[in-house]
């Protein structure tokens, strides 16, 4: 009889615990559902091979980081969305938008006329001109003065392409470094004579270092980078509004300095 009573009590305890667990789980599910209702998840794709826009620093982890990632997270917060980021080949990004497999693309993408036939773009969020930077006591004032010189560029940047283009006009040697700060140090050490740096970034260094000077190349402004959306997307206007807000309040400039300044 005692054993039977204990058995019945045990059943009652198990039943109570199960009920509590179910109630707790339901409560959690309800809470999670509420959060999910507040923020819709947008699928974003990028090609994480283009630092500092988007890349994976394997020494620090497996997450995709970069200027575009910080930008989209800031925009998502302002528009009330959450963003789920995935990596894919660059040439697959627009087809993925067309197939409606993803909602948005941030990947340092230039809004060319050909691309605009297939997707919508936001306003340009980043553009710059190239600047030749040198030391004031060894100032280089023209492209012609680069003849026989060594010029430095940031690895993986659009300045690499510009340096190659200049090398077709004048005979020069091109050196690559990971960070702009390394280029400036190499210049001061006499290992390179000048560097090609985007004007907005260079001007930030001029304000802090009176040894530096430079001139902007006489070329058309870079086409710039914009966010790509599905054709006729409902998100384009929302993100454009948030983007313009970031331009006006200085948040966008802060991200530019963080990722393009090379001052880690």
């Amino acid at each position: 009889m005692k054993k039977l009573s204990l058995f019945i009590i045990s059943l009652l305890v198990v039943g109570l615990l199960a009920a509590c667990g179910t109630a707790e789980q339901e409560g959690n599910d309800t809470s999670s559902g509420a959060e999910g209702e507040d923020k819709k998840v947008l699928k974003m794709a990028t090609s994480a091979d283009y630092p500092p826009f988007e890349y994976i620093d394997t020494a620090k982890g497996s997450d995709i980081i970069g200027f575009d990632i910080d930008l989209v997270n800031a925009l998502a917060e302002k528009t009330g969305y959450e963003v789920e980021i995935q990596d894919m080949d660059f040439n697959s990004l627009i087809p993925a938008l067309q197939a409606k497999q993803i909602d948005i693309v941030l990947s340092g993408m230039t809004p060319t006329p050909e691309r605009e036939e297939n997707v919508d773009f936001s306003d340009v969020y980043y553009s710059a001109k190239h600047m030749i930077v040198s030391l004031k006591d060894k100032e280089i004032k023209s492209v012609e003065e680069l003849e026989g010189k060594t010029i430095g560029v940031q690895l993986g940047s659009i300045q690499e392409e510009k340096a190659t283009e200049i090398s077709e006009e004048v005979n020069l040697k091109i050196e690559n470094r990971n960070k702009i700060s390394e280029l400036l140090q190499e210049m001061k050490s006499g290992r390179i004579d000048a560097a090609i740096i985007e004007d907005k970034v260079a001007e930030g260094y001029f304000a802090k270092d009176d040894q530096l000077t430079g001139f902007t190349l006489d070329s058309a402004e870079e086409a710039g980078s914009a966010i790509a959306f599905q054709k006729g997307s409902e998100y384009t206007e929302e993100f454009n509004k948030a983007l313009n807000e970031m331009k006006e309040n200085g948040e966008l400039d802060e991200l530019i300095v963080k990722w393009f300044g090379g001052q880690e």
Side-chain angles (χ1 to χ4, degrees):
M1 185 70 174
K2 186 175 181 181
K3 290 182 179 180
L4 181 59
S5 299
L6 289 172
F7 176 70
I8 293 172
I9 292 172
S10 298
L11 287 176
L12 290 172
V13 170
V14 171
L16 286 170
L17 288 174
C20 289
T22 301
E24 183 178 354
Q25 184 178 5
E26 288 176 351
N28 290 338
D29 289 345
T30 301
S31 174
S32 176
E35 291 179 2
E37 290 172 5
D38 290 341
K39 291 192 175 184
K40 178 180 178 180
V41 177
L42 298 184
K43 293 182 179 179
M44 171 195 151
T46 190
S47 180
D49 57 357
Y50 190 43
F53 283 91
E54 45 272 321
Y55 65 106
I56 299 171
D57 187 342
T58 54
K60 296 180 180 179
S62 57
D63 292 338
I64 302 173
I65 59 174
F67 172 66
D68 280 345
I69 308 306
D70 279 3
L71 175 59
V72 76
N73 285 332
L75 292 171
E77 185 175 345
K78 290 180 181 297
T79 52
Y81 297 107
E82 289 183 2
V83 178
E84 182 181 279
I85 302 171
Q86 57 183 298
D87 185 17
M88 61 175 62
D89 292 339
F90 190 83
N91 60 5
S92 299
L93 295 173
I94 287 182
L97 278 174
Q98 290 179 284
K100 299 186 177 181
Q101 297 170 345
I102 54 175
D103 300 300
I104 58 175
V105 164
L106 273 86
S107 196
M109 184 175 285
T110 300
T112 63
E114 294 78 14
R115 289 170 178 164
E116 288 177 334
E117 292 179 3
N118 299 307
V119 299
D120 288 340
F121 281 100
S122 70
D123 294 336
V124 169
Y125 59 79
Y126 183 79
S127 61
K129 291 183 179 180
H130 300 295
M131 180 175 280
I132 303 294
V133 176
S134 58
L135 297 176
K136 285 183 178 178
D137 59 357
K138 298 179 181 178
E139 185 176 359
I140 293 175
K141 299 180 180 180
S142 68
V143 170
E144 290 71 26
E145 291 182 18
L146 290 171
E147 180 73 33
K149 299 289 196 299
T150 299
I151 194 165
V153 290
Q154 186 179 31
L155 188 64
S157 68
I158 54 176
Q159 283 71 46
E160 281 188 300
E161 296 178 14
K162 191 62 182 179
T164 301
E165 181 183 322
I166 293 173
S167 70
E168 296 173 359
E169 302 175 25
V170 297
N171 179 36
L172 56 80
K173 181 181 178 183
I174 301 171
E175 290 280 343
N176 299 322
R177 295 294 183 272
N178 289 320
K179 297 181 192 280
I180 293 172
S181 54
E182 293 175 7
L183 293 176
L184 300 180
Q185 185 57 47
E186 293 287 78
M187 197 185 304
K188 292 178 180 181
S189 299
R191 285 185 280 271
I192 64 175
D193 301 294
I196 307 181
I197 302 174
E198 290 179 347
D199 59 347
K200 292 179 182 177
V201 175
E203 288 163 6
Y205 279 102
F206 293 167
K208 298 178 181 179
D209 192 336
D210 59 8
Q211 296 182 60
L212 303 173
T213 187
F215 69 93
T216 303
L217 291 175
D218 294 328
S219 59
E221 185 172 292
E222 295 297 323
S225 302
I227 307 167
F229 302 86
Q230 295 174 14
K231 203 70 177 172
S233 172
E234 61 184 290
Y235 307 121
T236 309
E237 184 177 348
E238 290 181 80
F239 273 71
N240 249 346
K241 183 178 179 181
L243 179 61
N244 287 326
E245 180 184 329
M246 290 185 69
K247 289 179 179 179
E248 291 172 2
N249 64 20
E251 289 179 86
L252 186 59
D253 286 337
E254 289 177 8
L255 290 183
I256 289 172
V257 171
K258 173 183 176 181
W259 288 104
F260 295 89
Q263 302 178 66
E264 297 180 7

